[in-house]
């Protein structure tokens, strides 16, 4: 089959590779109809996260079931399905409790949590390809309505729509709340959009890219350009001086200021400033335990010297981590089917698999409006 | 009246001061029967937190209602009451939602949260004295059974029993959970004890003082002496290699290692190591936004360079802050009355008000077994 | 002042009565700008609930603070405020925990819960009048933005918007859920509307009045006319045969079938049929412990012989009761201010206080489209 | 193998039947070490629930894994395991959300929920036998420590310990709460015991059998003999006139008064009386949609004419249903291992499989202290 293969920093190619096949009785093989490029695909692309050459990448996948193993009894050949980026066994303690993002058995390294397209997440091949092997298929796959409708909405169910929603869940967004989201990339947009779905009264999105901020406004949020405004001041003004009820971190360890310099603690600091005493911060921007490419010695070891003294004094809680997609994807699917959510508003480009190398390059450089790219094999 | 007055670092005296009086229609005056010395009283005592000379100190108070203002209609003269260390108006948004620790109106500086005996918490006089003025008395005071029974249990309801319990709440302790508590001071002991009340299956307490660890064992916990054992190893061994479900930080910004050196990030780091992926950390040890006496430049500004990269990767949440005493004190009181909780197990000394200066000195030096001191005016 | 006075079944008049005055230090006097007629005002109007002749009625009130007692320190003369229909002391255990609907001190009869305009709710005069006395004003009153904007939205904050929202809360409505609401009166409409605000994917409203069903559709719900369709069939069809996640009862003990006969158990039975196994039912339609006018001997004593055997077998929970308005009104107000909620869509008529007798008669007979009437003194 | 076979009302025999075998790739065969007789086994025994002659009965099972199907990858031959009475697929929506009691796929009739030993629960053979087939073994089985320790504690993890705990969960039992449990059978005892584990301050158990009440006292509860005392009076006296925070129904549809007459609504009525306004009732006593042997026409159709009018007025919620064992069994197991729970206190008899007919008879007649019987094949 054809697949996008990681060759090294700033180098992905489309290659003929061996077809995946049923290896375990609970496996399924999916014929991919759409696989998205994710912001976190840029971490290895930019050489900021390890990835071995030769790996098929891509963890945002959907398609049609092509084949199932002999023990699969819920999913059927021909089903249209969304594939959560988490690979989960369905029977360990964490899976039992809904934490498919921390499955204790799917990752042979023993670290909780597995996924597609990363050596340290279990070494499972990714789905930017024609076919994908899905372990524990009955547990992992989400059925979608037959046909081709809503393809570019449903494809966001594998990662960023649930991930943005997870941010709003971790931040405790409830009807009437005010919310401030840092980062207007795809996940930040989905976090803002999810907050509105959950009934927030006002949602602020902070970034410095005018096109991203304009998109946030189209989704119903209020844009704050931190290059020209102080987010805390805007939020305080809009909340009677108290601060936002909820804050969402959708930037991660590579946060940089208006001049382009990296400050891993910057976004947490600003959130602690802008969120009210007793408020909650949800973190879905990625932080890493080790980051050899980081700017400071502390950051190289995952240490983020943010203002925890103020967080404690204000009684602010900070919850974060990878999204357990299965916890949310069913409900977000139903909102799409009912016409009450249309996350594809953030999709900027849809291209064939062969154009992946070009799309990676443009997305990485943030040129030509490359915000969210869907690949159709 | 006689009262304990702060004169400056390492210097408190017992003085004759003016009696407090009803200032507002909702005030009450309490005749103090017991007022405890708190570990956080040592912050100003050691010169690590600001306190102005001449202030009457003491925020862990109980007694008998001596007089009530004309608008008080629930509390009556003669009622035996516990006085939460939080002063709360009862009608602002935060009070409405149970966050009496972040009352928006009781602190004239505008900072959320007020209390007794601190200039930056509203400047209200403390209760290490014969009398205490309590604002919004109907809202703040908890009625106790008449008489003198359980005095040394009930007196812990004003702060450390609820504060320890708050740690277990923030950490999400539920029946069957494993819990690791760092710090075997009075709050840590109460956090461990509360975790057992909540049905934890095993509770570990980490410290390096053998007498404190012995006390933790008497309360039902398992002691870990970090001077001789690695807490993470012990916890991993006892939890099948997964880590504790819940971690409680009961040390704060002055954490020091076995050699006595301060490392504000040390306890959070160890908790992130010892707590399982998807676990929760509750922080009731105090962190400060500004700490001029701190060892490092970061710490002076409340910055705690802990391993947030790993916390994120493990999906661990961190919730902290001062305890909203009213949320818990009623239930803890009922456990004491029913004979199902006996927090006074941790009381080491009960002395008269005149002995306060001596008690402060010994408690600060941790000599003669001074762990928790009750003053009886 | 002028006020609407209950004289007996089917007889209310507008009379000159004595002005209310500050009786307790925490009282406030409100100059009413809007007071609504509530469906539950019809219970005494129709002689189905006791009310003594001479009582000023009306529990859905808003206005401007005219005078405050000497101990009031949050609310100020001139403030525009919404008055929750619950009267609550703010300092008892139930108030502390947010259950202002079950205040233990405001009702001198000792029964938990007090309100305006009912002898058995404390005997407090109602607000269909020029002035209203509000006890514990600092605790009970919700501040609104100055001016006259959103008057017909804000006036619904005193009862039916929060009451409908409470139904959605008791039923556990979360994003993506399917919801079925029985009853398209004002509370049912607000329950459906609140469910949509909370992110429900599909909301069904069941009634037999075409105009009410048309209004539900305008609010975004799907109408089911039970005179011509079986609600269970429609809901099952729309939910893949599983049933709705959540059910809301907004009818109460006077439920009648398409022929007009009363069946107090009918709505609960239909909900238990239409809601999925493991689902939740929230009850905000009123049931009474005693109902002398009821059709059956059981119903006269508040007994509702519904199919609990099936509810248990399906694992369905049933939660109900009067709404604690303060729990929600702040957030619903903020949604109105932000333009994200417009509950006044259900207001049918706005008239002067003098027209109250006529409005009561028409509302009771459900003629001329009388659905929700606002009185402006 | 040898097995207990249902022959008809009041008639069970021990027979040689065919060994179960692996039928599906995810099956396991368990060699039963202990299988308990459950109070609900008496429903068919007394002819009050349908059961077909020839069925092997028994749904409270534990043992050693004898054989696994080819797709089983977590559980291994030789593992000592507890078998939850719920049979659940692990991949449907209800299983995903933790409601293994309402699995949508395990019961071929289409009704949510499956189990061992009932034709209407899927027709799976029970475990009062030497061997048991367990479907979806990786998902359903709970691993226990090797060896023979705690056998009579662990065997209660398959049903009644979690079921009693479920009652306390549905009733919202939290530290400091007062709880009243109706019914001192094994489930009621476990509900009381669980409430104490969860930190209740006082737990009342209501029954009329002195030996059962004495057992409840041994477990730490306060006994109320309703033949000689009014439960409501006792509870009100102990709760300052407010009522219990939480009520648990552990009797079910066959409730009878002190004279032995059946009143299906009696226990719910008494709970609504004894529980405080805003309180919660958890129902784990079984109610049936159809009960041909019931005393009244209403009861024959599952209708329970209890005082819902008062429940609504007091704002009491009522949640009930079969226990999803997997939600709790892991944590209860850990409490047993840690020595913090010893549910076997309620076991009255342990006998061989051959003695099952005799044990059924005595348990049904409640003679010779037969309270909870364990069968050891």
């Amino acid at each position: 089959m054809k697949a996008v293969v990681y060759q090294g920093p700033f180098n992905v190619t489309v290659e003929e590779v061996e077809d995946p096949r049923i290896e375990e009785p609970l496996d399924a093989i999916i014929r991919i109809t759409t696989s998205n490029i994710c912001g976190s695909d840029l971490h290895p692309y930019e050489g900021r996260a390890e990835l071995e050459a030769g790996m098929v990448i891509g963890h945002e996948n959907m398609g049609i079931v092509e084949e199932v193993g002999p023990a699969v009894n819920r999913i059927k050949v021909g089903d249209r399905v969304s594939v959560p980026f988490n690979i989960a066994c369905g029977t360990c303690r964490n899976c039992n409790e809904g934490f498919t993002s921390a499955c204790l058995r799917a990752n042979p390294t023993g670290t909780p949590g597995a996924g597609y397209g990363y050596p340290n997440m279990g070494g499972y091949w990714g789905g930017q390809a024609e076919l994908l092997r899905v372990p524990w298929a009955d547990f992992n796959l989400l059925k979608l309505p037959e046909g081709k409708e809503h393809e570019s909405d449903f494809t966001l169910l594998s990662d960023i729509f649930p991930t943005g929603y997870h941010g709003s869940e971790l931040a405790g967004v409830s009807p009437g709340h005010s919310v401030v989201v840092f980062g207007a990339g795809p996940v930040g947009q989905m976090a803002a959009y999810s907050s509105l779905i959950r009934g927030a009264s006002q949602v602020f999105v902070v970034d410095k890219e005018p096109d991203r901020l304009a998109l946030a406004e189209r989704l119903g949020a209020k844009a704050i350009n931190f290059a020209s405004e102080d987010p805390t001041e805007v939020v305080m003004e809009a909340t009677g001086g108290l601060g936002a009820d909820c804050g969402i971190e959708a930037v991660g360890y590579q946060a940089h200021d208006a001049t382009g310099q990296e400050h891993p603690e910057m976004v947490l600091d600003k959130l602690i400033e802008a969120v009210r005493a007793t408020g909650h911060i949800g973190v879905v921007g990625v932080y890493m335990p080790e980051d050899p490419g980081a700017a400071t010695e502390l950051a190289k070891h995952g240490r983020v010297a943010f203002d925890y003294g103020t967080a404690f004094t204000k009684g602010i809680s900070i919850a974060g981590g990878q999204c357990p997609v299965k916890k949310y994807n069913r409900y977000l699917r139903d909102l799409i089917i009912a016409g009450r959510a249309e996350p594809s508003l953030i999709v900027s480009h849809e291209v064939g698999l062969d154009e992946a190398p070009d799309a990676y390059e443009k997305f990485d450089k943030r040129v030509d409006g490359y915000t969210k790219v869907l690949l159709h094999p």
Side-chain angles (χ1 to χ4, degrees), chain A:
Chain A
M1 65 168 183
K2 274 204 300 192
V4 179
V5 175
Y6 181 76
Q7 305 291 0
F10 305 102
N11 185 3
V12 300
T13 58
V14 178
E15 306 285 336
E16 274 294 327
V17 299
E18 211 177 337
D19 280 6
R21 52 179 187 79
I22 299 290
E23 298 177 18
E24 301 286 341
L26 289 164
D27 285 355
I29 303 295
I30 310 302
R31 182 159 295 276
I32 297 296
T33 54
T34 309
S35 180
N36 322 317
I37 304 180
C38 178
S40 62
D41 286 332
L42 297 183
H43 299 161
Y45 188 81
E46 297 172 353
R48 279 294 279 274
E50 255 178 282
L51 195 58
E52 63 199 21
M55 184 113 199
V56 176
I57 52 182
H59 58 268
E60 300 192 356
N61 305 306
M62 72 177 288
I64 308 289
V65 178
E66 178 97 357
E67 189 186 351
V68 297
V72 172
N73 57 36
R74 187 176 70 89
I75 291 294
K76 287 179 185 45
V77 170
D79 283 349
R80 187 190 189 200
V81 292
S82 172
V83 188
F85 79 88
N86 323 106
I87 300 177
C89 75
T91 64
C92 72
R93 171 179 164 178
N94 285 351
C95 285
N96 282 340
E97 300 191 341
F99 295 112
T100 52
S101 49
C103 173
L104 295 167
R105 300 176 61 238
N107 189 339
T109 68
T111 304
Y116 301 94
Y118 290 97
N120 62 349
M121 298 287 276
Y124 300 88
W125 271 16
Q128 294 176 5
E130 289 173 302
L131 296 167
L132 175 71
R133 179 175 79 93
V134 174
W136 295 285
D138 276 337
F139 183 68
N140 285 304
L141 294 171
L142 177 73
K143 284 196 204 178
L144 302 171
E146 280 180 34
K148 299 181 176 246
E149 227 188 340
H150 293 306
E151 181 86 8
S152 54
D153 292 306
F154 287 145
T155 193
L156 302 177
L157 290 173
S158 57
D159 182 350
I160 64 163
F161 192 10
T163 290
Y165 190 90
H166 187 50
S168 70
E169 173 81 12
L170 294 174
V173 178
S174 287
H177 274 161
S178 54
V179 183
V180 57
V181 180
F182 277 75
V187 167
Q189 303 282 2
M190 288 294 96
Y193 193 59
S194 296
S195 297
L196 290 163
I197 287 172
R198 293 165 74 105
S201 60
Q202 41 184 356
V203 177
F204 299 92
V205 174
V206 182
D207 205 301
K208 70 181 193 326
E209 303 298 335
D211 57 333
R212 296 184 159 207
L213 291 169
L215 177 54
E217 297 255 344
R218 282 201 299 281
L219 295 176
K222 298 174 188 186
I224 301 177
N225 189 326
F226 77 84
S228 55
E229 300 175 288
D230 177 15
T232 302
E233 265 178 37
V234 177
V235 170
M236 287 295 167
E237 168 93 30
T239 56
L242 295 177
D245 298 302
C246 311
I248 302 177
E249 208 292 14
V251 177
Y253 68 121
Q254 292 177 309
H256 42 275
D257 63 23
T259 71
Q261 243 194 312
E262 261 188 41
H263 301 277
E265 78 292 351
M266 185 180 73
V267 176
L268 285 170
D269 275 355
K270 294 307 269 181
L271 279 164
I272 290 164
E273 236 181 66
V275 167
R276 59 181 291 135
T278 78
H280 299 276
I281 295 174
V283 181
V284 284
V286 174
Y287 289 80
M288 297 272 192
E290 298 295 332
D291 175 21
T296 69
E297 203 49 41
L298 286 170
K300 279 189 213 298
H301 300 295
R303 302 187 165 280
V304 186
F306 68 95
D307 185 2
Y308 186 69
T310 296
F312 177 87
T313 302
K314 294 177 78 170
I316 291 173
S317 75
I318 302 170
Q322 284 201 346
C323 173
V325 170
K326 270 182 72 70
K327 190 173 168 192
Y328 312 115
N329 62 359
R330 172 190 319 271
Y331 294 103
L332 300 178
R333 173 199 66 189
D334 290 350
L335 285 164
I336 292 169
I337 293 172
R340 297 202 9 101
E342 193 186 350
S344 61
L345 288 165
I346 66 154
V347 172
S348 64
H349 292 77
E350 308 202 25
V351 302
L353 198 63
D354 289 331
E355 297 165 68
D358 179 61
Y360 265 89
E361 191 181 342
K362 287 180 171 151
F363 181 37
D364 184 51
K365 294 185 175 154
R366 308 194 192 290
V367 294
D368 294 353
Y370 270 70
T371 305
K372 186 67 192 175
V373 185
L374 314 188
L375 304 176
H376 299 299

